[in-house]
Amino acid sequence: MSSNFEIIQKDAAGRIGRLTTPHGVVETPTIMPVINPNIQTIKPSEMRDFGAEILITNSYIIYRKDELREKALKDGLHSLLDFDGPIMTDSGSFQLSVYGEVEVTNEQIIDFQQKIGTDIGVPLDIPTPPDVPRSRAESELETTIERLAQARELVKDGMLLAGPVQGSTYPDLRERCARELSELNFDVYPFGAVVPMMESYRYADLVDAIVSAKKGLDPTAPVHLFGAGHPMMFALAVALGCDLFDSAAYALYAKDGRYMTSHGTYHIENLHYLPCSCPVCVKHTADELNNAEDRVELLARHNLYVTFEEMRLVKQSIKEGNLLELVELRCRAHPRLLEGLKQAYKHSDWLEQCDPASKSTFFYCGPESADRPEVLRFSNRLERLTIKGTAIIRTNPTKRDSEYDNLLTFKPPFGAYPVELGEVYPFNAEVVATPDHEVLGRALENTIRLIELNPDAEFTFIRKGELEHPLFDKLAGIANVVDNRGQE
Ligand code: GUN
Ligand code: ZN
């Protein structure tokens, strides 16, 4: 159990939380700008102006360089960076994954992080990349867990300790790792080695990595998605239960002339207009920004502004209970993100357990909405609806409603439900008048099941003439299906 994390509000598996660190409380979800201790285009002391509440830097880079190491040991990390809020430090594992080795042991880097006054320290885990043979994933995982256990023994108070979840692209290893780490009681659980998945747009695999790790954790534990800094995927990752993000992307993208938006990236050379009103974009034309002497810094600033803007929108969506609508919107920005959304909804049974029973109006956003946890919840609860006598199922009230014992509304993607529930979440959904094929199918499946669950009742289904679906034939076999013309 993690007592330094308090959950304030939930939506899907996402939440607004408060993480208490030695240097203060952080509201999550939030993004930690990555500070390079060697080069700082934007000073750490300025980061609060963008919305940053917590920073992340690399203790291994500090450790390796005499000048930085001595200053950090003497004056502390917060003085070195000139930032008095919470700072997380990584361990050198990323360098390990890129160069194959590091000149530091787990014990040394944990000791160093404690000595320089880090708020959240990270052991020297092994970031096993995607698609490696299972034997390698298993043996590296074993080493990671040993090092994490050792770190847990070494850190008793003060610094919070992160326990990175590894397991490559093996969901069962991710889940097992998370379960074993939970026993050791870490303060934050980063999900590791996901950067290669994000770089190659493998969002469906990313979704599986997140969900499998989440399943092994206590739902109240704070989660960090290591290396996730593109705003277009914040909504999706937050909806799956990630609380902390870190972004080196704002600076790395800027170096390559890349301009971030919440729905993708432009190369600044291709922009004729600036689709943003941040302080950088209101002061420059696209051409001026492209040709500016300080183009890299200006782009980094813009990238940070849109990054925090998107996170605020995600948080507002949690407050309003429409995070999944934002996820569905954002995931339409790229087909690979859409694959991530579809994969996320394959886990709707898990999402459903986290999702609040009541929130703001369900908005239909497209065929994927048929797989939302709320729709699954209704399907799972059809057994609870007992219908006796005669029943009419129709889209809108009809003249003959009074002739029936039961009135049911037919509304895709749900199906048929008693009219009394019409104003209740999620049946008060805003939907399209002409449902997509998949969505009509889901609604007809549910309707057929409801009829089959109540074999003694007599059902009349008023079919709107324009609706076509092969399941209407099956429905006609168990109910009296009537064309709506002349009925309304
Ligand atoms: N930075 C990006 N990925 C990782 C990871 O898996 N582990 C650590 N420690 N740092 C990372
Ligand atoms: Zn801008």
Side-chain angles (χ1 to χ4, degrees):
M1 293 301 258
S2 156
S3 55
N4 42 44
F5 189 58
E6 183 196 355
I7 293 172
I8 311 290
Q9 189 132 9
K10 299 197 275 189
D11 189 6
R15 56 273 186 99
I16 292 180
R18 288 164 61 84
L19 178 69
T20 303
T21 79
H23 282 81
V25 177
V26 174
E27 190 175 276
T28 64
T30 196
I31 174 112
M32 303 180 278
V34 174
I35 305 297
N36 181 334
N38 288 310
I39 334 150
Q40 291 161 17
T41 16
I42 303 169
K43 288 191 168 53
S45 56
E46 258 194 274
M47 286 294 178
R48 277 210 179 84
D49 301 340
F50 292 90
E53 297 181 38
I54 173 171
L55 308 181
I56 183 168
T57 189
N58 194 310
S59 64
Y60 179 62
I61 294 176
I62 299 170
Y63 180 87
R64 226 176 19 184
K65 196 162 175 179
D66 294 344
E67 183 196 332
L68 294 174
R69 182 176 65 238
E70 263 135 49
K71 180 154 172 39
L73 286 170
K74 186 162 149 278
D75 305 327
L77 175 67
H78 293 77
S79 163
L80 178 75
L81 296 190
D82 187 25
F83 182 77
D84 61 6
I87 306 175
M88 179 171 181
T89 47
D90 202 352
S91 56
S93 292
F94 185 70
Q95 284 73 11
L96 179 70
S97 71
V98 176
Y99 305 110
E101 55 181 356
V102 284
E103 293 156 22
V104 70
T105 65
N106 183 48
E107 232 173 320
Q108 284 169 327
I109 202 67
I110 285 291
D111 180 57
F112 182 66
Q113 292 177 80
Q114 281 189 291
K115 284 194 175 130
I116 65 177
T118 296
D119 289 273
I120 308 174
V122 180
L124 196 64
D125 58 308
I126 303 179
T128 308
D131 312 316
V132 302
R134 189 175 171 97
S135 55
R136 175 175 163 197
E138 280 177 340
S139 71
E140 290 185 357
L141 188 56
E142 205 174 306
T143 309
T144 290
I145 294 175
E146 275 167 25
R147 290 184 186 172
L148 266 53
Q150 180 189 40
R152 187 66 284 183
E153 284 299 308
L154 293 168
V155 178
K156 281 302 160 210
D157 47 34
M159 178 175 94
L160 307 187
L161 188 61
V165 177
Q166 298 291 347
S168 183
T169 22
Y170 298 96
D172 63 313
L173 293 187
R174 291 262 177 196
E175 183 171 347
R176 195 184 84 202
C177 178
R179 223 173 275 290
E180 289 184 25
L181 298 189
S182 294
E183 298 284 309
L184 298 170
N185 268 315
F186 289 90
D187 303 292
V188 174
Y189 296 86
F191 296 169
V194 292
V195 171
M197 295 182 204
M198 293 184 288
E199 283 175 346
S200 51
Y201 281 65
R202 291 171 59 178
Y203 291 109
D205 291 331
L206 176 69
V207 164
D208 280 348
I210 295 172
V211 173
S212 52
K214 283 288 292 188
K215 283 180 177 170
L217 292 181
D218 183 314
T220 63
V223 166
H224 170 197
L225 193 62
F226 247 137
H230 201 300
M232 71 179 180
M233 47 83 69
F234 289 168
L236 177 63
V238 169
L240 297 174
C242 298
D243 308 294
L244 291 164
F245 298 80
D246 63 276
S247 175
Y250 77 92
L252 297 175
Y253 277 49
K255 250 194 243 166
D256 292 344
R258 287 187 287 169
Y259 178 104
M260 289 174 153
T261 76
S262 55
H263 50 269
T265 310
Y266 294 94
H267 200 285
I268 183 64
E269 282 160 17
N270 298 330
L271 275 178
H272 297 265
Y273 309 95
L274 297 178
C276 168
S277 302
C278 82
V280 173
C281 295
V282 294
K283 283 202 204 79
H284 299 85
T285 63
D287 230 30
E288 285 165 1
L289 182 54
N290 184 28
N291 295 308
E293 221 172 279
D294 51 349
R295 182 177 100 163
V296 173
E297 182 184 338
L298 291 173
L299 279 174
R301 286 177 183 276
H302 158 81
N303 287 345
L304 266 184
Y305 279 120
V306 296
T307 296
F308 281 99
E309 175 178 288
E310 177 68 2
M311 199 57 92
R312 289 191 297 273
L313 181 62
V314 167
K315 286 163 72 168
Q316 177 64 24
S317 303
I318 295 175
K319 287 276 184 198
E320 289 193 6
N322 53 25
L323 180 58
L324 290 177
E325 279 82 355
L326 182 65
V327 173
E328 292 192 14
L329 181 69
R330 288 292 180 253
C331 286
R332 281 194 167 66
H334 194 289
R336 306 298 296 275
L337 266 173
L338 191 56
E339 286 174 4
L341 171 67
K342 288 171 189 275
Q343 194 65 24
Y345 283 166
K346 287 192 184 145
H347 299 288
S348 270
D349 54 341
W350 172 74
L351 277 173
E352 194 269 323
Q353 295 165 20
C354 313
D355 196 38
S358 183
K359 39 189 182 175
S360 74
T361 316
F362 178 116
F363 273 37
Y364 176 80
C365 303
E368 290 76 24
S369 299
D371 297 318
R372 273 179 61 158
E374 294 92 336
V375 181
L376 184 71
R377 181 180 296 143
F378 173 63
S379 309
N380 289 342
R381 293 185 182 178
L382 283 173
E383 280 85 355
R384 297 187 190 180
L385 290 177
T386 305
I387 315 281
K388 293 206 166 80
T390 58
I392 180 170
I393 303 173
R394 75 291 187 277
T395 304
N396 303 112
T398 72
K399 284 183 220 146
R400 293 174 54 190
D401 278 0
S402 59
E403 297 168 21
Y404 295 87
D405 302 324
N406 299 274
L407 301 180
L408 293 103
T409 304
F410 180 73
K411 190 178 199 176
F414 303 103
Y417 54 83
V419 287
E420 297 76 31
L421 295 177
E423 296 307 312
V424 176
Y425 188 85
F427 306 109
N428 56 351
E430 291 288 347
V431 300
V432 289
T434 47
D436 295 293
H437 185 82
E438 295 87 337
V439 178
L440 180 56
R442 173 59 40 83
L444 288 170
E445 277 167 26
N446 284 343
T447 304
I448 289 167
R449 266 195 53 226
L450 179 70
I451 293 172
E452 288 174 345
L453 284 164
N454 293 277
D456 297 331
E458 191 188 307
F459 290 89
T460 298
F461 187 99
I462 310 297
R463 175 179 177 177
K464 284 172 84 178
E466 66 274 21
L467 292 186
E468 291 293 344
H469 199 283
L471 280 175
F472 275 118
D473 291 342
K474 183 161 184 198
L475 187 67
I478 53 173
N480 173 30
V481 178
V482 181
D483 200 282
N484 70 331
R485 274 163 291 212
Q487 293 286 329
E488 289 184 29

